[in-house]
Amino acid sequence: NEREQALVLEAIVEHSKLNDPKDNPVTIILKDADRLANLGPQYFIRDAQHEEGLPAIDPRHSISNPNPGASYHNRKTVYEGAVYTLEWEAMLRTSKARKISKKRFKLMRKCLKDIEDQLAEVGLRPYPL
């Protein structure tokens, strides 16, 4: 019906925006699903595929020393984008999305820690060299 079509269209238009208390139920589910689809180790593959030319990492910036000019939508490296996905944990609103995401957030944190450990191991952390 027209009401359901309006909810779906609104969800499509709004799904890439930050959460809003006025989000309709379809928008809430789509926002959660979109975050889940982009969370986890596949993030690195997807970002490299869609962001040609984006450097993998900048040794000046890390989880504890982020680039002040960066955000998820304005990431300067693939690594930074991965760090910003951790913000989504607090943004998930459905119980099913929160349940599904636990393992993925844990794995993403491990991947990011492993990257930091590897950089330290080869002498690229802490910066400056």
Side-chain angles (χ1 to χ4, degrees):
N1 66 35
E2 285 186 28
R3 169 77 177 130
E4 291 171 336
Q5 288 177 356
L7 290 173
V8 171
L9 289 174
E10 182 181 323
I12 292 167
V13 170
E14 301 294 322
H15 90 278
S16 62
K17 297 178 182 176
L18 291 175
N19 292 348
D20 186 317
K22 295 178 278 186
D23 285 341
N24 73 56
V26 178
T27 302
I28 291 169
I29 291 169
L30 185 56
K31 285 181 177 183
D32 280 3
D34 192 39
R35 290 174 179 134
L36 287 175
N38 289 297
L39 179 63
Q42 76 273 12
Y43 169 83
F44 297 101
I45 297 166
R46 191 173 286 127
D47 208 40
Q49 175 187 10
H50 295 293
E51 297 295 335
E52 183 179 336
L54 192 65
I57 199 159
D58 179 341
R60 297 172 296 177
H61 303 289
S62 65
I63 293 175
S64 59
N65 182 32
N67 184 333
S71 67
Y72 179 75
H73 290 290
N74 185 32
R75 54 200 178 277
K76 308 298 184 190
T77 66
V78 173
Y79 174 84
E80 283 177 356
V83 170
Y84 285 111
T85 66
L86 299 176
E87 295 176 347
W88 299 344
E89 194 165 20
M91 295 178 185
L92 296 173
R93 294 184 278 179
T94 63
S95 59
K96 187 167 187 174
R98 286 191 297 271
K99 181 179 178 185
I100 292 169
S101 72
K102 286 186 185 307
K103 183 170 63 170
R104 294 183 187 180
F105 280 113
K106 182 178 180 180
L107 188 53
M108 190 60 122
R109 284 187 182 87
K110 181 177 180 349
C111 287
L112 293 168
K113 182 180 180 326
D114 287 351
I115 290 169
E116 288 295 321
D117 290 349
Q118 184 178 12
L119 291 170
E121 188 175 53
V122 298
L124 293 174
R125 289 278 195 262
Y127 190 87
L129 309 174

